[in-house]
Amino acid sequence: MARPSLFGLLLIAPALAMIGVLFLYPLGFSLASAFTGPDGAPSLESFRKAYELYSTDILFTLFIVIVSTALTGLFSIAIAGILTLSETPWLVAVLRSLYRWPLFIPFIVAAQCMRTFLAKNGLMNNTFVALGLMEPIQATSLLDWRGIIVTFVWKQVPFVTLMLAGAMASIDRATVEAGRNLGASRLRVLIELVLPQVAQTLLVGLVLSFVTMLSVLSVPMMVAGSQPTMLTVDMAFRINSYGDYATANALGVISYVIAGTVAWIYLRHNVKREVQA
């Protein structure tokens, strides 16, 4: 077995030091703070306080992220399926040129765009009124949980679609052509032949999107800004308003557990798949 050389260790030492100083030390400090009481002794007081004050927000966060992830998967499958299986060249060209744009827009800019688009007197309602599809008195604001979901889905669909379309483009076209020759519709070919072959890529994209949406602060703060809200807003509020790092760190640990559960499901699926292979 080859031993690592001193020169190789020196090359990776700066990167390891940066990970240790900027990630591992703050992570360890946050975990220790979450499990420490005001007197310095080990305690679960921070978690009791977090549950008492923010249990509704924990459920709200799970609802927002799970629904957004499911919708992201559905839209990504639809767009990637059209890009791969459609026989309408102009539709594929237009869709391919448009779907990637949100990838280059930061979350905070996306949130500001949605405030302009989804407000009661925003672009969406004004367009419906101008087209005669809605009376001005019927206009309502979507700047609540619906706006958060719309923003998350709009931002994450291009990311998952990009991965999924690449995976679909690399599969054996003979299976697709065989299905079409046997009379299967494009929808049936997509669901029964294509999706099973790219399920692993779809799962990776959705897990990464889930963790990303769980950690975004700007969107729930700017789009909704009212109760209930997401855990990231609660953590910022405990620190900025009360300097309560212990409760904020307890909420952070709860976020770690949620993200870790999703990662465990993904790893378990991978292990089971490798065993079956």
Side-chain angles (χ1 to χ4, degrees), residues 192-216:
E192 296 185 6
L193 294 178
V194 176
L195 271 185
Q197 299 184 62
V198 298
Q200 189 68 15
T201 303
L202 176 63
L203 184 60
V204 172
L206 293 182
V207 168
L208 294 176
S209 294
F210 184 96
V211 175
T212 299
M213 292 186 284
L214 188 64
S215 63
V216 172

Side-chain angles (χ1 to χ4, degrees), residues 123-146:
L123 180 61
M124 183 183 71
N125 286 334
N126 286 339
T127 302
F128 288 158
V129 171
L131 293 174
L133 300 175
M134 175 193 294
E135 295 295 330
I137 196 172
Q138 296 175 315
T140 58
S141 172
L142 296 182
L143 296 178
D144 47 24
W145 63 272
R146 295 168 294 184

Side-chain angles (χ1 to χ4, degrees), residues 46-67 210 213-214 226-235 238 247-259 261:
S46 300
F47 289 92
R48 187 199 62 78
K49 190 174 180 181
Y51 178 78
E52 183 178 314
L53 295 176
Y54 301 113
S55 56
T56 302
D57 290 350
I58 294 171
L59 295 177
F60 180 77
T61 301
L62 283 172
F63 169 75
I64 291 290
V65 178
I66 290 173
V67 171
F210 184 96
M213 292 186 284
L214 188 64
S226 59
Q227 293 294 329
T229 188
M230 296 184 69
L231 289 181
T232 49
V233 179
D234 293 331
M235 284 187 274
R238 296 307 304 182
T247 304
N249 287 330
L251 292 172
V253 171
I254 293 171
S255 297
Y256 294 150
V257 171
I258 295 173
T261 302

Side-chain angles (χ1 to χ4, degrees), residues 43 48 63 80 121 137 149 166 179 205 209 216 245 274-275 277:
S43 170
R48 187 199 62 78
F63 169 75
N121 296 314
I137 196 172
I149 291 176
S209 294
V216 172
Y245 285 88
E274 289 179 2
V275 169

